[in-house]
Amino acid sequence: MADILYTYNNQVYLNITNKCDCSCRFCIRSHKDSVGEAENLWFQEEPTLEEIKKAIDNFDFSGYDEVVYCGYGEPTCALENLLASAAYIKEHNNIKIRLNTNGLANLYHKRNIVPELAEVIDRVSISLNAPTAEKYQEVTRPQFANAFYALLDFAKLARDAFVHTQLSVVDVIPKEDIEASEKLADDLGIHLRIREFT
């Protein structure tokens, strides 16, 4: 069984699925099998809710102030397990929960899931990856043709629903694209984080 819960840079992460509706050119999972203290983040079979809960029960969250849903897949592709396990964490631990997402959940599920997420998630980080639809398609290679605009719609809903919402880009994209992404984020009233590619 692959690692469901792992730590990296003194943060706790939950890897609950390998499903993803994007195939980003720079995605770390195309370069190696694990991150941080995880041995392997690739599942032979998708984890059940019971297995996710067991991983949560077996971990001591003392000294950590946040747990992040981020692994070798898009957490919202396993929405039922995401919502149920996040609620389980809230019931048993005094810790904040962040979701790292590609922002395509509403497109994937064909409905607005932000209100459901807001019941159990405190913060959201959305991978913007590029400042225009054309560049986004090229870099992110999503399953959906209208993904970029769906991401922006999701970001606006998230901005109004969560305590903190941010967009992010990875520093492998050109400087001018980072600057254009900063302007786009400013126009949306959302903080932009520039992530270092590791």
Side-chain angles (χ1 to χ4, degrees):
M1 182 72 174
D3 291 292
I4 293 173
L5 192 149
Y6 66 102
T7 58
Y8 176 62
N9 284 346
N10 203 36
Q11 285 192 294
V12 188
Y13 291 87
L14 275 171
N15 175 46
I16 64 167
T17 184
N18 287 158
K19 295 177 185 174
C20 189
D21 44 3
C22 292
S23 181
C24 299
R25 293 188 181 276
F26 52 78
C27 185
I28 195 166
R29 72 185 202 162
S30 64
H31 299 287
K32 53 186 183 176
D33 293 334
S34 66
V35 175
E37 294 180 10
E39 291 184 12
N40 179 27
L41 294 174
W42 288 109
F43 297 113
Q44 290 186 344
E45 292 183 14
E46 292 283 291
T48 64
L49 178 58
E50 290 69 29
E51 289 169 332
I52 297 169
K53 285 182 176 179
K54 184 178 179 182
I56 293 166
D57 288 340
N58 289 338
F59 187 79
D60 181 3
F61 288 92
S62 302
Y64 295 96
D65 58 7
E66 183 181 60
V67 59
V68 185
Y69 280 87
C70 179
Y72 270 17
E74 165 55 40
T76 60
C77 287
L79 183 61
E80 289 185 10
N81 284 349
L82 168 61
L83 296 173
S85 61
Y88 186 76
I89 291 169
K90 290 283 189 187
E91 288 170 16
H92 297 89
N93 299 276
N94 183 23
I95 193 166
K96 298 294 184 186
I97 300 176
R98 172 162 47 102
L99 169 65
N100 285 3
T101 178
N102 61 23
L104 303 183
N106 289 351
L107 196 57
Y108 184 86
H109 292 286
K110 299 181 174 64
R111 61 187 171 87
N112 178 15
I113 69 159
V114 170
E116 297 166 72
L117 292 172
E119 290 181 8
V120 291
I121 302 292
D122 300 292
R123 303 178 181 113
V124 173
S125 181
I126 305 163
S127 298
L128 177 62
N129 292 331
T132 65
E134 182 181 7
K135 289 182 177 180
Y136 179 85
Q137 289 291 130
E138 179 185 334
V139 169
T140 306
R141 300 184 291 188
Q143 294 176 6
F144 311 103
N146 57 337
F148 181 74
Y149 299 105
L151 181 157
L152 297 183
D153 288 342
F154 182 91
K156 289 182 230 177
L157 292 167
R159 173 195 63 199
D160 298 334
F162 299 98
V163 172
H164 178 72
T165 297
Q166 71 178 17
L167 294 164
S168 70
V169 294
V170 181
D171 63 2
V172 296
I173 66 173
K175 182 181 177 184
E176 59 268 24
D177 286 350
I178 292 175
E179 291 172 352
S181 297
E182 288 177 323
K183 182 180 185 312
L184 176 59
D186 286 344
D187 289 345
L188 292 169
I190 301 174
H191 171 73
L192 179 75
R193 178 183 171 220
I194 301 167
R195 291 167 25 227
E196 182 180 352
F197 182 75
T198 55

